[in-house]
Amino acid sequence: MNTDYSPNNNLKGIVVMVIGMIGMAGTDAAGKWLMTSDYSVFQVVAVRGWMIVVLLTAWILIKKRTAELRTMRLGAHGIRLVLAFCGPILMFSALATMPLADVTVIIFGSPFLTTALSVPIFKEKVGRHRWLAVILGFIGVVVVLRPSAGLFEPVAILALLAGVAFATVNLTARWLRDTETTICITFYTMVGMAILASLALPFVWQPIPLNDLVIFIIMAVFTLIGYLGMTGAFVMAPVGVVAPFEYTVLIFAVILGFVIWGDVPDGFVWTGAAIIIASGVYLIQREARVHKS
């Protein structure tokens, strides 16, 4: 595989990341719907995981891309799997005692952490323009969520660790890109998460009615789009270019919240969303200018 980034792929990586964030927003919306039905997080992760495995396997067979699943780096995939599995577990543990806004602010710091870690780990050059986009995006998230004093409670360490897990999962895609395809990385992560979550099913399983089964299927499709988008973006372009666009998930979440539950965003949400959009547009224009030069 080609291990060098092409400047031509920067804008493509941004587009793929935004598509991935649409998938993640859809996943969160479906997850919220299912969690209100009191399903265990392990059951949600397991059922969703096996559905994704079936969908992805069928697509791979139809497209005759089984060769892309070959790997000599099962250990590296194992590390990614542990991080990918720990992220949601830590997040839900923090949510048990902390407000959603506080946890979300900490976790949405992961794009900043991803960009920061890409410098010492992968020796990537993150210029002032990209740093500015990352910082502006994070400011937008803070404006939207308005964290309370609970942000500084000791249990916030769990949310911080979740953010670290999500950030390092993103970095593993950059780490694996030298030898692995996007399909390969996504496939082994999904299979592993489904297996791990299934270990708890004998203790937490509850029957799934048809209506909820449809939501599970929708969630699986959105999750597959999300993981393929995120992984593909980090494979296509430098971390510092695509990481800031993880913030766009908040915009899509606001839209889905209004459409599904009638949640009307307040002034803080619109202000924060404007900041997030501005940071993204700024970076897109910057990359386009660099590409032309």
Side-chain angles (χ1 to χ4, degrees):
M1 292 182 62
N2 181 17
T3 60
D4 295 325
Y5 285 117
S6 168
N8 297 334
N9 283 339
N10 283 4
L11 290 177
K12 184 177 179 180
I14 290 172
V15 172
V16 171
M17 173 60 80
V18 172
I19 293 173
M21 291 303 98
I22 294 174
M24 287 303 179
T27 298
D28 292 344
K32 178 179 179 179
W33 188 290
L34 291 171
M35 294 308 292
T36 57
S37 300
D38 295 326
Y39 288 104
S40 164
V41 62
F42 292 102
Q43 182 172 351
V44 171
V45 173
V47 174
R48 179 196 67 174
W50 288 119
M51 287 181 174
I52 291 174
V53 170
V54 170
L55 291 172
L56 192 55
T57 300
W59 185 83
I60 290 171
L61 292 175
I62 292 173
K63 294 294 184 178
K64 298 180 180 180
R65 300 179 69 171
T66 54
E68 296 186 34
L69 296 180
R70 295 173 185 168
T71 180
M72 298 295 291
R73 302 179 67 182
L74 287 177
H77 285 286
I79 294 173
R80 175 180 170 84
L81 166 61
V82 171
L83 295 168
F85 187 75
C86 287
I89 301 301
L90 290 166
M91 180 180 69
F92 281 106
S93 298
L95 283 171
T97 54
M98 288 182 64
L100 176 61
D102 295 351
V103 175
T104 307
V105 163
I106 298 175
I107 291 177
F108 266 86
S110 62
F112 180 84
L113 183 60
T114 300
T115 302
L117 290 176
S118 71
V119 177
I121 295 177
F122 299 117
K123 310 302 179 184
E124 289 191 359
K125 295 181 180 180
V126 180
R128 63 180 184 276
H129 298 284
R130 294 176 184 173
W131 277 121
L132 179 60
V134 172
I135 294 171
L136 283 176
F138 184 68
I139 290 174
V141 172
V142 173
V143 170
V144 171
L145 298 173
R146 306 183 301 282
S148 65
L151 182 67
F152 304 101
E153 295 177 358
V155 73
I157 294 175
L158 294 176
L160 177 62
L161 292 175
V164 172
F166 291 131
T168 48
V169 164
N170 293 338
L171 290 172
T172 58
R174 167 65 178 84
W175 176 36
L176 287 164
R177 71 177 287 272
D178 294 348
T179 59
E180 315 296 281
T181 64
T182 299
I183 292 175
C184 177
I185 296 171
T186 304
F187 182 82
Y188 288 117
T189 299
M190 291 294 102
V191 170
M193 289 182 68
I195 292 174
L196 289 180
S198 295
L199 297 177
L201 289 184
F203 309 100
V204 301
W205 179 266
Q206 68 176 26
I208 304 174
L210 181 59
N211 289 343
D212 287 349
L213 184 61
V214 173
I215 301 299
F216 269 107
I217 295 173
I218 293 174
M219 186 181 190
V221 172
F222 273 118
T223 303
L224 185 56
I225 293 172
Y227 270 88
L228 286 174
M230 289 182 64
T231 304
F234 284 112
V235 168
M236 292 176 189
V239 171
V241 172
V242 296
F245 290 86
E246 290 185 71
Y247 292 126
T248 58
V249 70
L250 180 60
I251 298 172
F252 302 128
V254 168
I255 295 173
L256 288 174
F258 174 74
V259 172
I260 299 173
W261 291 283
D263 296 334
V264 180
D266 59 20
F268 286 96
V269 172
W270 292 121
T271 302
I275 295 174
I276 295 169
I277 294 172
S279 68
V281 171
Y282 171 78
L283 188 55
I284 290 176
Q285 291 180 338
R286 177 67 184 174
E287 292 300 324
R289 192 178 303 117
V290 171
H291 173 63
K292 289 181 181 179
S293 63

